[in-house]
Amino acid sequence: NAGVTQTPKFRVLKTGQSMTLLCAQDMNHEYMYWYRQDPGMGLRLIHYSVGEGTTAKGEVPDGYNVSRLKKQNFLLGLESAAPSQTSVYFCASSYSGGTLLLFSGNTIYFGEGSWLTVV
Amino acid sequence: RKEVEQDPGPFNVPEGATVAFNCTYSNSASQSFFWYRQDCRKEPKLLMSVYSSGNEDGRFTAQLNRASQYISLLIRDSKLSDSATYLCVVNILISGGYNKLIFGAGTRLAVHP
């Protein structure tokens, strides 16, 4: 019953280092998302993908890149980490978006989160 | 102004109490609404959808007021296990037929013995 799996769960980076967060889902979902969550703020969408080979920018894409080479995987990269990127990162997936998602009631499924600290 | 606003709390209530949270949203194009629950250091999980007619799931009741652009969550007979942060989520249909989920920052509930 894996659902959405994120790795790594915890990571400490030095400013300027690069890293990749991996998200994998086994539900055959089309849509995948990367969010960040900071104290006092709601989850904010970084990037999302509506299918294999596609990516799009969310609300806060600067400093991040993503790739969706396989349907089940969605990678989030930090090319040059900054302290402002210290956050909890959640990957999520959903069967579809648009009208079907509006009324499905199932919305999206989240991974367990990745705690990233940039020092 | 935030698109989805919630009182951050915390709401400290005794077991058995009834507690209500409100959430306001600013985008009148909002199409659907949800309450998610998030435990400390865990991922958000869907608690319930919010329908125009209001809906109930056990001890939880959700209401939507489109005219005033707010949704509410009522928890009756609070349990210790209800302690969590409750996220208000609004779904907006944007161009191209895609949806956009807007998350509130959450309301923290602490139920004590």
Side-chain angles (χ1 to χ4, degrees):
Chain A
N1 232 20
V4 181
T5 305
Q6 296 179 227
T7 53
K9 194 168 179 68
F10 301 98
R11 183 76 186 269
V12 178
L13 281 179
K14 292 183 179 178
T15 298
Q17 283 185 318
S18 63
M19 76 159 296
T20 300
L21 294 173
L22 171 64
C23 177
Q25 53 95 2
D26 62 2
M27 296 174 282
N28 202 33
H29 284 169
E30 290 293 335
Y31 282 53
M32 295 188 75
Y33 316 81
W34 275 108
Y35 288 89
R36 60 177 289 171
Q37 187 175 36
D38 301 293
M41 305 184 76
L43 283 144
R44 292 182 293 167
L45 183 64
I46 304 171
H47 286 279
Y48 66 100
S49 167
V50 302
E52 181 179 318
T54 74
T55 63
K57 293 180 180 180
E59 303 170 67
V60 289
D62 294 341
Y64 305 95
N65 57 74
V66 288
S67 65
R68 182 99 182 268
L69 298 179
K70 292 183 179 181
K71 186 177 183 179
Q72 63 268 33
N73 295 337
F74 194 30
L75 278 63
L76 178 71
L78 284 71
E79 292 181 341
S80 179
S84 61
Q85 293 178 304
T86 294
S87 188
V88 184
Y89 292 86
F90 288 99
C91 177
S93 71
S94 64
Y95 180 69
S96 67
T99 304
L100 280 177
L101 183 62
L102 287 176
F103 299 108
S104 71
N106 286 322
T107 60
I108 63 179
Y109 298 87
F110 287 88
E112 293 184 334
S114 296
W115 274 256
L116 177 64
T117 301
V118 183
V119 298
Chain B
R1 182 186 173 190
K2 292 181 181 177
E3 289 191 83
V4 176
E5 296 211 55
Q6 298 182 249
D7 182 340
F11 285 61
N12 292 301
V13 303
E15 274 186 290
T18 295
V19 61
F21 310 135
N22 283 336
C23 163
T24 58
Y25 61 94
S26 59
N27 194 324
S28 58
S30 301
Q31 298 289 314
S32 55
F33 310 87
F34 308 94
W35 283 103
Y36 274 71
R37 171 192 169 127
Q38 186 173 23
D39 293 299
C40 187
R41 301 182 73 79
K42 297 287 188 182
E43 73 275 23
K45 291 184 179 177
L46 178 66
L47 177 65
M48 59 196 304
S49 303
V50 187
Y51 304 122
S52 296
S53 55
N55 49 303
E56 189 174 309
D57 182 3
R59 297 182 293 109
F60 299 83
T61 300
Q63 297 276 356
L64 166 64
N65 185 319
R66 284 190 183 270
S68 301
Q69 296 187 193
Y70 79 83
I71 68 173
S72 64
L73 178 68
L74 181 77
I75 305 175
R76 290 181 298 278
D77 189 23
S78 299
K79 311 290 184 190
L80 294 175
S81 57
D82 293 334
S83 297
T85 297
Y86 292 83
L87 308 179
C88 172
V89 184
V90 173
N91 198 344
I92 302 170
L93 186 61
I94 58 177
S95 60
Y98 301 121
N99 66 284
K100 177 180 176 182
L101 287 176
I102 309 294
F103 288 80
T107 298
R108 195 154 66 87
L109 171 66
V111 182
H112 57 82

